[in-house]
Amino acid sequence: MKYIADASLFIIRKRLEGDIVTVPSVVEELREEAARTMMELMNVRVEPPLKSFKEEVRSKAGITRDSEELSGTDIDILAKALEYSVREETILVTDDFAIQNTAIQLGIRVMPAGQRKIKDILLWEKQCTGCKRRFPEGDICPVCGSPLKKVRKKKIRTG
Ligand SMILES: [Zn+2]
């Protein structure tokens, strides 16, 4: 069993037994000394993601509409999880809903680092960049005429 972990695991400082792999961009995001120490204690291996898998993640994330929500680091960790999942049993450990959603679309098993449920579904709505009102859809605010931006709505629990 291989665990691919994003920053969540090290930030909440949960001890996980087993083979843990992460990517350099995750390590760069860990500013707390305690989180870095946790990484060392768990003998986490740091491997850069492969370009071909990053491209695969990007193209598939586009289909699930999560791509606007995924950072470069998110793509890196998904690419690493995808790479391992094609050759051995792999679990991606993350508390990030956009990463979880995309991972499921890619056929990668996911596990939350904390207590959050992984069966939650992300819902989207549009928010005005001017008056901040929220709307179910559209590109231009009907109230003030400013462009609307896609934002995450509350999650719906399914399980
Ligand atoms: Zn507006």
Side-chain angles (χ1 to χ4, degrees), residues 127-135 140-148:
Q127 184 174 33
C128 176
T129 54
C131 68
K132 307 294 178 198
R133 284 184 177 84
R134 289 182 175 225
F135 304 96
I140 299 292
C141 176
V143 178
C144 75
S146 302
L148 303 183

Side-chain angles (χ1 to χ4, degrees), residues 97 100-101 104 116-121 156-159:
F97 284 106
Q100 289 176 357
N101 270 12
I104 290 163
R116 297 160 84 184
K117 289 191 153 195
I118 58 170
K119 284 189 173 176
D120 293 353
I121 290 175
I156 289 179
R157 300 231 149 162
T158 58

Side-chain angles (χ1 to χ4, degrees), residues 35 40 55 62 64 68 86 104 115 125 144 147 152 155:
E40 282 161 29
E55 278 162 10
T64 65
E68 288 174 35
V86 299
I104 290 163
Q115 297 301 315
E125 61 185 355
C144 75
R152 274 191 227 184
K155 276 75 69 175

Side-chain angles (χ1 to χ4, degrees), residues 28-40:
E28 282 162 28
E29 282 180 6
L30 294 176
R31 291 191 178 84
E32 281 179 62
E33 187 65 34
R36 286 173 179 266
T37 305
M38 201 62 209
M39 258 194 71
E40 282 161 29

Side-chain angles (χ1 to χ4, degrees), residues 10-68:
F10 312 118
I11 288 167
I12 67 167
R13 281 183 266 158
K14 180 169 162 180
R15 189 81 185 244
L16 193 64
E17 297 296 331
D19 250 353
I20 306 167
V21 177
T22 193
V23 292
S25 48
V26 164
V27 182
E28 282 162 28
E29 282 180 6
L30 294 176
R31 291 191 178 84
E32 281 179 62
E33 187 65 34
R36 286 173 179 266
T37 305
M38 201 62 209
M39 258 194 71
E40 282 161 29
L41 282 173
M42 290 192 283
N43 285 317
V44 175
R45 196 158 77 239
V46 182
E47 289 178 11
L50 300 180
K51 198 166 169 256
S52 59
F53 287 101
K54 283 173 75 166
E55 278 162 10
E56 194 171 341
V57 168
R58 277 203 198 91
S59 70
K60 288 186 176 161
I63 295 163
T64 65
R65 305 207 311 154
D66 280 329
S67 55
E68 288 174 35

